[in-house]
Structure formats: C-alpha cells, structure tokens
Amino acid sequence: MNDKLNLQSLNIPEEKREELLRLFPEVRTEGGQIDFDRLRLALGDMVDTGKERYGLNWPGKSACFKAIQTPSMGTLLPAPEESVNFDTTENLIIEGDNLEALKLLQKSYIGKVKMIYIDPPYNTGNDFIYPDNYSESLQTYLEYTGQTGEEGKRFSSNTDTDGRFHSKWLNMMYPRLYLARDLLRDDGVIFISIDDGEVAHLREVLSELFGEENFIVNVVWQKKFSPQANAVGFSDSHDHILVVAKNKEVWNPNLLARSEEADARFENTDNDPRGPWSSGDFTISLTGGQRGNQFMKTGVSQNIYEIITPSGRILTPPKGRCWGSTPEKFAQLVADNRIWFGESGNNVPRIKRFRSEVQDGIVPSTWWPHTESGHNQEAKQELNATLGDAAGTFDTPKPVRLIKRMLDIATKNEDKEIILDFFAGSGTTAHAVIKQNGSDNGNRLFILVQLPELIPESSPARRFGFETIADITKERVRRVINKLNDEDGNEKNQDRGFRVFKLAESNFTPWDGSVDQSPEDISLQMEMHIEHVRQGRIDQDILYEILLKSGFPLSIPVETLQVDGKTVYSIHDGIMLVCLDRNLSMPSVQAIVDRLPERVVFLDEGFAGNDALKVNAKEACKLKNIVFKVV
C-alpha cells in the first residue's frame, strides 16, 4: 500500500471508469480495463457508433476533455490576514483561475453544492476571456499573476475578428461547466446569465453535459427599464438566465412569496365566512387548451346550457366556449356560494377562489421584470453605495435582488446549503447570500472564485488601492458584513465572515521522473526530496493542502493540540490527526496513535531519513487499524 498522500486533485476519468465497472462488472478485462464490445452487448447493442451524431462540435473540443482529465497539482494557500473571522466562518473566497479551483474542490465538495450561479464573460468581442491553453493551466495562471519570477502577463480579449471567436469561448466554458456539474447535489441547480450572442451555444453545451431532460427553463430578465436612445436597430433590454437541474426528477423549486399586490386581489365583498377571495372566468374555450380539446373529442355538450342569474337574466356561453362545469355541478357551486354574479346579481357568473385555499406562494414565471428582480442601474447604485468610485470597474453588474430571487427559488433557510459562484466579479452572490440569511434567519454558505484580473492603471479603483478584481470582490463582501453588523449587531450570530484562499503551486516539490535526466539532476532531485517543502511555506499552508487533498472541506474546524510536546492538528473531532513536526520520535508517534484517529498524517521530513522509525510508526498504526500517510 502506498503511504504517500495523493496530492493530485480528484482523477475524474478514473472515478467514472470505476463507476462504470461497478455498474457493469461483466465488462472488466483481465487487466481491469473496459471491454467496449462487451459493454455494447450489456447495453443491448444500443451504442451509437456511427460517424454522424446530433450535437454541438467546434475546434478544440477534444482539448477540453484533456483539460478535464488532467488533475491539478496546485493548492489553495490560506490568507487569514485578508479574511473575516477566519477561525469560525465556513464561507470561502478563492482567488485564482476557476478551472484549477474547480478541480481542487472536487474531493472536498463533490455532490455538496445546492445552487450555482455564474455570470460568465458574454463574449461580446472585447471582454476579458480566460485562456484556452490547457496543457499547463496552472503554469499559465502562475505566469499571469507573476508567481514564476517573471513579470505578470495579461490575457488578451477574444475579439469578434478572431477566426475562432465562438470556439475559444466554448473551450473556456465547457470544462468549467463539466466540473461544476459534479459539485452539485442531486437536488441542485445551476443558473447562468447570458445574452443573445451565446445563449444558443450554451444551451447545447448544457444539454450535452447535464442531459436535455434536466433543462428547466430559459428565464428572460428585464435588465433595463427604459429603451436605449442611441441603440442601433433594437434596444437591448433583456438577458437570459438558463436554469438546469442536476436531476430534474429530484429538484423541486420553491414557491415565491406572495406580494402585497397579489394579496390585494383577494377581497370579501359579500362577507363570506371563508374569508377573502378573487373571482375567475367560469368558461372554457372549445378551440384550444387541453380541456377544450377534450370537450371537442368526446362531444360533451352538457356544459352548454342556460344559466339564470339572481336578477333573472338568462345567459348562455359565448360562441366557441362552454361553461366550466355540468348543470349539476354548477347548482352545487351556487348552493355553496362559490359563484359570483356581481353585486347586482346580473353579471356573467365567475368562480370564487378563496385565499385560504390557494397554495401559499406563487409559481415562478419565466419573465422577471425589473420591478421584481432589479436592473443594471440598480446594481451600479448598490456598488456605488458600497465601493464608491471603484464601482466603475464593472460595466454590467448584477443586482442583489436578481440573485436573491434565485435563492428564493432554489434554497431554504434551514440547512447549511452551499451556493457557488466561480465567476464572482464584484461579489454580488455573497452580498445576496448574506442579505438573504439576514432576512429569513438562514444559514446558507457561499463559495466564490475570482481570477485576480489586473485592473488598468488608469482606473479609479487603482487610486483606492485595488490592484485586481479579486481585491474588489473581497473588499465589497467585507463592507457588506460590516454594514449589516452595524445595523443589527449580528444578534442572531449568523456566519458573517469568509476564509480567503489563493491558488498556488503545491507546497511540495514534485519528483521529476524524466528518463533523460543526468546523474547530477537525479542527485539534485534526491537532495530536494530530503526537504521537499517549498521555501516560504508554513505549517498552515501544508495543513490546508492536506485537508483539501484528503477530501475535507476547507471550512472544517481545526483544533490545535499538544501531544508529547508535538503540535498536532485535530480534524473533525479527531477523525484525522496531522503532525508536521520535523523531529519525530517513537514515543511521540505512539502518543498520537493512542488517540485512535481514523487517519494520521506525518511530514516525511519528520522521520529524517530514519527508515526504521517510519516502519515502526506504520506498524503502530496498523495494529490499531489507523490509516498511515506521509507527505
């Protein structure tokens, strides 16, 4: 058994291969691989092997799978000094490339996210675009942020004159959405803002990744409340929000709270003891709709009859329509005071619907007007109120009310449901989560990921000390927290904090197994692996990489213990113990083992080349059924 802790992110192809072999053990070959001919037989020979298939294809799509399948060797370094309530909060803000971050989150957060909202680059021809060089994505990021000793590089825009304009955007989006899907719970859902330019392509990608059967709806959001006078052709007044479930059969949207305007439609003009009511049409069309078509097919004629109003007026249904029930059922409704003929008793009959009998909420619609979900100008005003002149960095921010509406539909306040936004921008998602928790006493959690995109030197934000978009993201959330705490003192003791983590190379230098290494190179590698922790990295950095690569969430509580004079980190009430001491002894190892964790992790340097001590430590763990790992 390999004692080394696996420092790679989750190997997605291997996970899926194992799942396939679990479902179809009969297709396993002698070497543990998959016999695809047997798989075809197991599936009843229903595998499509033809060259022509329906679906979206573009140059570079195959490279997307390489990006997905290449595990990350990076890590997320904690930054307590930039955080708020680091030791107690469970919210996260990750600074780094979201492709790498999504890979690193797989082990800890797979199947745990309730809702994802993203507002990705719309590919308008001049917006910032993430790189599509996937061969060394972490290296590309390190060069961009100047972590390689070189001056930081800028990524270019994806201009509409580029011959691969749409392809580059799809190459950026596809692997990120693929990884995001695996993070969702079975009852999870993703909302994606997009404009007309890429909505058709995005819809195809989502159908491929999530399954067409899991598409929920295309919401139209009114982002502007008045026409744009200088618009050419048409004034662009809306955006799309594509909504897709992980599993449509499991996901259940919440009803939206009834507005005062909706409740105002219910009155009690006749003092009915059942309370306020509204009235609806008592006729049915014979030329359309499911009920009308059924009447036409069955030749039902008993719903066409004369009705005498209390005033004595004789009525028949309008041409092409019939009454909503048979004469017998109508008589019962009249006797139960469920038919309204108007105050004079002379009007066309209408069916009464009581407020007490309708569902406690409104089914969400596909049209989100600005009066209910905010608009771009409102979003800018919110940013100005929080960030001042630095708000001008964002051209089309999203309003808090827009994301709050998604939270109303997709989340509840009882559980610690996780909301993920890996194109965090100005941090509106975190703002909305914190505000929603404050309004309904919820305990939702957020994870934001934002690239530290450099802000132009000429931007007012630079004068305020912001160098990157990620700096603004963090500062906005800080100010939102401070403002709410000033207003209510956080009397409900809600989680109003966040832990900051930054993408970087692993804390451990990897072994270079190149076959063409010279003896001198190999000697240098061996020297490096006596002390293989990168210079400048502290125990806290190493600890969180161990947590991340062991599948623990980055928000998990960590207790610091002293065991036989050694500092030991206790994870999740002692399920795992981590000792990073560089000078271990058998008594100290035994004292740690005697605490009976499920797993123990030591720093390889702690054994100082003492193979006997390492073997004895492993045997001590084995005797008590404890998993022994070194890094």
Side-chain angles (χ1 to χ4, degrees), residues 453-467:
E453 178 188 349
L454 296 173
I455 298 173
E457 294 283 353
S458 58
S459 170
R462 277 298 185 105
R463 296 198 298 271
F464 284 87
F466 299 112
E467 293 187 2

Side-chain angles (χ1 to χ4, degrees), residues 142-430:
L142 296 174
E143 291 175 359
Y144 170 69
T145 53
Q147 296 184 45
T148 58
E150 303 176 5
E151 184 180 353
K153 299 179 180 179
R154 277 198 64 82
F155 297 148
S156 61
S157 297
N158 187 26
T159 63
D160 51 11
T161 57
D162 192 315
R164 296 180 59 217
F165 179 63
H166 294 294
S167 296
K168 288 179 68 175
W169 188 83
L170 289 168
N171 286 336
M172 182 272 292
M173 290 294 295
Y174 192 93
R176 289 165 171 83
L177 290 172
Y178 186 107
L179 295 168
R181 179 192 177 278
D182 288 341
L183 294 177
L184 280 174
R185 294 170 19 171
D186 284 342
D187 63 346
V189 65
I190 183 169
F191 295 80
I192 308 177
S193 288
I194 197 67
D195 67 358
D196 287 328
E198 295 289 354
V199 65
H201 297 143
L202 181 59
R203 174 78 182 266
E204 289 289 336
V205 167
L206 291 171
S207 292
E208 181 173 322
L209 293 178
F210 287 77
E212 189 174 1
E213 69 278 7
N214 291 314
F215 180 79
I216 302 296
V217 76
N218 179 356
V219 169
V220 178
W221 169 54
Q222 187 185 18
K223 65 181 180 181
K224 297 177 184 176
F225 56 85
S226 60
Q228 190 172 340
N230 61 348
V232 178
F234 288 83
S235 177
D236 179 18
S237 299
H238 74 278
D239 271 352
H240 302 271
I241 301 173
L242 299 185
V243 186
V244 184
K246 176 76 171 287
N247 185 337
K248 190 176 182 177
E249 298 299 319
V250 177
W251 183 66
N252 291 309
N254 304 320
L255 297 174
L256 294 173
R258 304 187 67 86
S259 65
E260 293 182 3
E261 180 183 356
D263 281 339
R265 300 190 186 107
F266 292 88
E267 299 178 336
N268 196 359
T269 54
D270 63 348
N271 296 317
D272 194 304
R274 288 164 291 194
W277 51 270
S278 65
S279 64
D281 192 359
F282 188 61
T283 66
I284 298 171
S285 172
L286 292 173
T287 58
Q290 185 176 354
R291 293 182 66 188
N293 291 336
Q294 184 64 30
F295 282 128
M296 295 297 288
K297 288 179 182 178
T298 58
V300 175
S301 60
Q302 63 262 39
N303 285 53
I304 300 177
Y305 52 89
E306 291 184 347
I307 288 178
I308 302 176
T309 70
S311 66
R313 181 183 174 193
I314 299 176
L315 301 171
T316 56
K319 185 177 180 180
R321 303 184 72 85
C322 66
W323 298 122
S325 69
T326 63
E328 294 78 16
K329 178 63 177 176
F330 175 74
Q332 295 173 9
L333 292 171
V334 171
D336 197 28
N337 192 21
R338 288 181 179 268
I339 296 296
W340 176 244
F341 290 96
E343 293 185 8
S344 64
N346 194 47
N347 292 355
V348 174
R350 293 176 65 82
I351 184 78
K352 290 170 69 173
R353 297 184 176 92
F354 292 93
R355 172 67 181 85
S356 59
E357 295 176 352
V358 300
Q359 56 189 359
D360 191 20
I362 300 173
V363 175
S365 76
T366 59
W367 165 242
W368 291 7
H370 72 86
T371 53
E372 299 175 1
S373 304
H375 47 79
N376 282 343
Q377 190 61 33
E378 177 181 312
K380 290 182 179 181
Q381 292 168 355
E382 289 170 345
L383 273 181
N384 285 331
T386 307
L387 295 171
D389 290 342
T393 306
F394 302 93
D395 295 328
T396 56
K398 298 300 181 287
V400 171
R401 280 200 294 163
L402 178 67
I403 301 174
K404 183 181 181 300
R405 192 174 186 87
M406 301 174 198
L407 295 172
D408 285 334
I409 293 170
T411 69
K412 298 183 183 299
N413 64 344
E414 296 94 350
D415 305 318
K416 289 186 177 182
E417 295 180 335
I418 299 173
I419 293 87
L420 168 65
D421 182 349
F422 51 91
F423 287 97
S426 67
T428 307
T429 296

